Amino acid sequence: WVFESLAKGSGYMEIDLSDLQTQVLNSKYMYVRRNKKGEILGYNQWTKPFGLFNRENKELINFKPNQIAALHINQTAGEAYGIGIVYPNERIIENIVLNEKDLQLLISRKAGAPYHIAVGQPGANTPSSVVDAVKANLQYLRNTVEWVTDGDTVIKSVDFSELGKSLTEAQMYFYRQLLAGTEMPEVLMGSGQL
């Protein structure tokens, strides 16, 4: 019941007092009947496609107000339904997912630091056959490969150490925004401390 309310904005539970039983109903198929003053007259349940809807249809299930317990989360003034916590935070959730995807792509591409290999002396015209031979050797580069060169070759790794920092800082920002938007204590998300 609470999950339906949080996810969809409104949760409906059928109450059967004669048998002392309750049943959570899918909010997607529930409709509130109200008068012009906003007083609740009852609830309708329609599980067929909307194109087949007809008020006179006998398949429309009617409930009296005392047969349904309704829970609305983030209900706006004058509205019969709530908006829940997912819809107001949809943009933040989308940003978290997209940022996570970008971060994973960056990590997978830059897991091993690429090399810049300078062959020959600066200003010297190194033959292209020498450069091509070194380039061909790079095709077999693995973690276990050790390089031994003469003094004319300089091997340096290209450092991208700060490249992901801005993405991880943005991820924490979006995470804090999600906590604020859902009004959820951080300890329930597994990262805060009591």
Side-chain angles (χ1 to χ4, degrees):
W1 185 47
V2 173
F3 176 78
E4 285 278 318
S5 302
L6 290 172
K8 300 177 184 174
S10 297
Y12 300 95
M13 186 176 357
E14 180 182 0
I15 303 170
D16 186 356
L17 294 176
S18 61
D19 292 335
L20 297 176
Q21 293 183 345
T22 61
Q23 176 185 359
V24 176
L25 303 173
N26 190 337
S27 302
K28 189 165 83 171
Y29 304 117
M30 295 298 295
Y31 305 94
V32 181
R33 284 185 296 130
R34 302 190 308 169
N35 63 16
K36 291 181 181 181
K37 294 182 180 180
E39 296 169 352
I40 295 175
L41 303 175
Y43 300 89
N44 291 337
Q45 184 182 34
W46 178 259
T47 58
K48 305 274 184 195
F50 288 115
L52 301 176
F53 179 75
N54 183 350
R55 287 184 186 270
E56 311 305 323
N57 196 322
K58 295 186 181 354
E59 295 180 52
L60 182 65
I61 302 168
N62 296 309
F63 295 97
K64 295 177 184 173
N66 64 347
Q67 292 177 312
I68 295 289
L71 176 64
H72 305 289
I73 304 289
N74 282 342
Q75 186 175 15
T76 56
E79 293 293 326
Y81 308 98
I83 58 175
I85 63 168
V86 174
Y87 177 73
N89 294 292
E90 185 178 10
R91 189 59 164 275
I92 296 295
I93 295 168
E94 186 176 296
N95 287 341
I96 288 172
V97 171
L98 292 174
N99 198 45
E100 188 73 27
K101 185 178 176 183
D102 291 344
L103 186 60
Q104 183 59 38
L105 180 66
L106 182 66
I107 289 171
S108 66
R109 286 186 177 172
K110 301 301 177 193
Y115 291 114
H116 175 256
I117 300 178
V119 180
Q121 292 294 326
N125 191 9
T126 305
S128 60
S129 61
V130 173
V131 175
D132 290 340
V134 173
K135 182 179 177 183
N137 286 336
L138 288 176
Q139 294 177 3
Y140 304 104
L141 183 64
R142 299 182 312 275
N143 290 339
T144 59
V145 173
E146 302 293 338
W147 289 86
V148 178
T149 64
D150 61 8
D152 293 340
T153 305
V154 179
I155 301 175
K156 293 183 180 177
S157 64
V158 180
D159 185 19
F160 291 104
S161 61
E162 297 294 316
L163 194 56
K165 187 176 181 183
S166 61
L167 287 174
T168 55
E169 287 175 356
Q171 193 74 342
M172 282 308 297
Y173 168 76
F174 294 137
Y175 177 70
R176 297 273 177 229
Q177 292 294 318
L178 182 64
L179 290 176
T182 58
E183 299 179 11
M184 186 175 298
E186 190 172 351
V187 288
L188 294 179
M189 297 291 279
S191 62
Q193 297 180 6
L194 294 174

